[in-house]
Amino acid sequence: MALLITAECINCGACLPECPNEAIFENRSDAEAKGHHVGDDQGVGDGIYVITHDRCTECVGHFDEPQCAAVCPVDNCCISDPAYPETTDVLLEKAKTLNPDKAIDPAKVWSGVRN
């Protein structure tokens, strides 16, 4: 499933360069202007970063934990989005499609992935 950034976001930008899939945007309008879908009621206003579910792989295939959550200074700000459940296999395929020139490691999966 994709992750989402909660309303507790302090707009620090720590997560933006960490995403291996370029799934994080400074605000909802930036993401939508580039043709990406943002979940309902996410990123309302321009002070909250957003994660687009079509690009988020929860860092599966890249890291052992979601990097946005790892670097975020706010506890529980980057959380699993219940509206977009995806299995490890789906997330790995998405990672391969989004990053055809990167090595995707099927062992890089965090404990929060639903299977």
Side-chain angles (χ1 to χ4, degrees):
M1 93 187 84
L3 299 177
L4 65 85
I5 298 174
T6 67
E8 285 77 29
C9 176
I10 60 172
N11 207 21
C12 70
C15 59
L16 193 63
E18 300 301 323
C19 182
N21 302 307
E22 299 177 357
I24 302 173
F25 292 83
E26 288 186 34
N27 54 56
R28 182 184 192 96
S29 56
D30 283 353
E32 290 176 340
K34 293 186 175 146
H36 300 292
H37 180 263
V38 178
D40 294 338
D41 300 322
Q42 293 179 28
V44 177
D46 284 340
I48 299 174
Y49 280 58
V50 295
I51 300 174
T52 60
H53 77 271
D54 55 338
R55 296 196 64 85
C56 181
T57 64
E58 300 181 40
C59 291
V60 167
H62 299 283
F63 300 100
D64 291 327
E65 65 181 331
Q67 295 302 285
C68 55
V71 301
C72 184
V74 178
D75 289 339
N76 298 315
C77 187
C78 300
I79 62 171
S80 297
D81 186 341
Y84 300 101
E86 294 172 302
T87 65
T88 299
D89 291 340
V90 170
L91 293 169
L92 284 168
E93 284 305 311
K94 189 190 302 188
K96 290 175 187 175
T97 300
L98 292 170
N99 303 284
D101 299 330
K102 289 184 183 177
I104 302 300
D105 183 350
K108 300 283 185 176
V109 178
W110 70 294
S111 62
V113 175
R114 290 193 219 176
N115 283 306

